Amino acid sequence: SASDAGGTTCAIAPGAIGAAHQAAYSSGYLRSGCPDTPAQNSPYMWPLKWAADYESHSMPAYTDEVVFHAKGRTYYALDKNWKRSDTVYQKGVLRTIGQSPCSEEDIDPDFAEKGLLGCWKNQTDYMTTMLHLGNMMYFLSYRDNVTDALRPGETDPSKIDECI
């Protein structure tokens, strides 16, 4: 299989998650198409850098009730195994794996009783950013006193308040 010095180029995650994700330890995909790997000639890995606006609506199983709504823009650099997600709107209760940290007062008590994490979100007038770099996730919040409007793709680090 294609490899770099660490043997991780073009690696996909094991098991079911590998159907849609690079392995966390992967150094990224090759421009040459990852010969002799599951990613070989995949139409889903081109272009290696791209972005998309998203809007999602989450519903519990067996219901049409929307319990969470989010909007933003996500950027991918598949050659480096990087993802950036700028969220400009979140409202409702988020119940998912790999979500951003949740303050104690925003934890959904009904979900917590079952040993799970659910987090109430009411982000309607500011932006947050999640960076997924290889096997690490970072969650950025921005300063309250930023005078210029924050927009997806913001690159000025002086506007960052916290990174966890």
Side-chain angles (χ1 to χ4, degrees):
S1 70
S3 67
D4 56 8
T8 63
T9 302
C10 298
I12 61 172
I17 198 169
H21 291 86
Q22 290 186 51
Y25 54 81
S26 175
S27 57
Y29 288 146
L30 297 172
R31 293 206 179 277
S32 61
C34 296
D36 303 321
T37 71
Q40 179 176 326
N41 300 321
S42 169
Y44 302 105
M45 61 184 277
W46 304 105
L48 293 174
K49 291 183 172 79
W50 58 280
D53 292 328
Y54 70 87
E55 182 168 354
S56 67
H57 300 266
S58 301
M59 298 171 277
Y62 312 109
T63 178
D64 293 347
E65 178 190 2
V66 174
V67 296
F68 182 73
H69 179 201
K71 297 180 196 178
R73 185 165 181 84
T74 300
Y75 304 82
Y76 294 90
L78 300 176
D79 56 335
K80 297 179 181 177
N81 198 8
W82 291 357
K83 173 183 172 183
R84 172 185 174 154
S85 187
D86 290 338
T87 302
V88 296
Y89 180 93
Q90 295 184 89
K91 193 160 181 81
V93 64
L94 177 61
R95 297 174 177 152
T96 187
I97 296 170
Q99 66 190 36
S100 61
C102 187
S103 60
E104 192 68 35
E105 65 269 10
D106 292 333
I107 292 175
D108 177 8
D110 296 332
F111 224 49
E113 280 181 11
K114 300 172 186 168
L116 304 169
L117 178 61
C119 187
W120 286 97
K121 301 283 187 176
N122 189 18
Q123 175 191 336
T124 59
D125 61 353
Y126 61 95
M127 184 175 81
T128 57
T129 296
M130 183 276 301
L131 301 174
H132 194 180
L133 309 175
N135 65 347
M136 299 296 294
M137 291 177 83
Y138 302 92
F139 298 92
L140 306 179
S141 58
Y142 295 91
R143 297 181 187 280
D144 290 335
N145 62 356
V146 171
T147 55
D148 297 333
L150 289 168
R151 293 188 177 19
E154 178 63 59
T155 58
D156 182 353
S158 72
K159 296 179 180 180
I160 296 172
D161 180 45
E162 184 177 35
C163 177
I164 50 176

